[in-house]
Amino acid sequence: MPRGKTAGKAPGKPARQLLFSEALRQQKHPSTADSPPPSHDTMSDDTQGASMDRILQEISAVGRKLEGMDTAMTALTAETRSMRLEIAGFQSQISGLDHRVAAVESQVVLQTDRDQELLYLRSKLTDLEDRSRRNNDRFLGFPEGIEGTDILSYLRDTLPKLADITFDPPSGISKSA
């Protein structure tokens, strides 16, 4: 049963308005058994009736305003519930997005590590490819330019001494060549 309504009374009127209406009706038409003695006030019965009618109208206006406020409060309550549900949905979505962002961030870190490793491996590959293209031999420990102008005769004389071996030159290569 909606708030502010009474069972068995006129539909559409709140309980407050019905109570005030009953009280005013009893004051206008008192029963004979409980009626107070007629008053000898300076006001006439007509003036009292008119002021009571005006009070009744003002009370009815206040009752209508209270009904409007009650309706507005009901609408606000429903809207607040709706907003709570929407906020709960948003919180759920944000939580899901937070998990996805964390997963993406960890993948970015892994990808960065892979990129750095790939750059290192490419650099190493380039160096190895460049070295394999050269037909140069390196002899470490010899000062630069010690061979003079004839590298072949220097090596022919120096290598057998360093390795303590005898070396027979192949046919067709002369010592003075």
Side-chain angles (χ1 to χ4, degrees):
M1 176 166 48
R3 218 175 41 193
K5 305 287 181 180
T6 56
K9 297 291 182 174
K13 286 192 171 187
R16 291 179 220 100
Q17 189 175 3
L18 290 173
L19 289 175
F20 289 126
S21 298
E22 285 290 321
L24 289 175
R25 192 174 337 118
Q26 284 178 2
Q27 284 182 354
K28 280 186 173 181
H29 306 289
S31 63
T32 56
D34 295 333
S35 67
S39 68
H40 298 291
D41 290 346
T42 55
M43 280 191 176
S44 68
D45 286 339
D46 291 340
T47 310
Q48 280 183 344
S51 72
M52 291 300 259
D53 285 341
R54 192 181 44 173
I55 291 172
L56 179 62
Q57 288 173 353
E58 288 179 18
I59 290 174
S60 294
V62 168
R64 285 189 298 272
K65 287 181 182 178
L66 288 174
E67 282 179 6
M69 287 180 176
D70 191 36
T71 303
M73 285 298 289
T74 303
L76 283 174
T77 303
E79 190 172 336
T80 303
R81 284 187 190 127
S82 172
M83 287 181 175
R84 282 184 188 160
L85 291 174
E86 284 183 44
I87 289 171
F90 291 147
Q91 286 174 336
S92 174
Q93 287 177 348
I94 288 171
S95 176
L97 290 174
D98 189 36
H99 292 300
R100 289 176 62 188
V101 165
V104 168
E105 285 176 343
S106 66
Q107 288 177 355
V108 165
V109 167
L110 289 174
Q111 188 65 34
T112 303
D113 291 344
R114 289 180 191 146
D115 287 348
Q116 289 176 350
E117 183 179 6
L118 183 62
L119 286 174
Y120 171 74
L121 291 174
R122 281 185 181 166
S123 169
K124 193 171 182 178
L125 178 65
T126 302
D127 185 48
L128 290 173
E129 285 176 346
D130 288 347
R131 287 181 192 269
S132 69
R133 288 187 194 139
R134 299 180 201 141
N135 290 327
N136 297 335
D137 292 325
R138 288 188 179 183
F139 293 99
L140 302 175
F142 291 97
E144 191 73 31
I146 196 167
E147 73 277 0
T149 57
D150 189 11
I151 296 173
L152 188 56
S153 60
Y154 177 75
L155 288 175
R156 200 175 316 137
D157 293 336
T158 309
L159 283 179
K161 290 179 192 174
L162 291 174
D164 196 25
I165 57 171
T166 58
F167 176 52
D168 291 331
S171 61
I173 298 180
S174 65
K175 268 195 154 183
S176 61

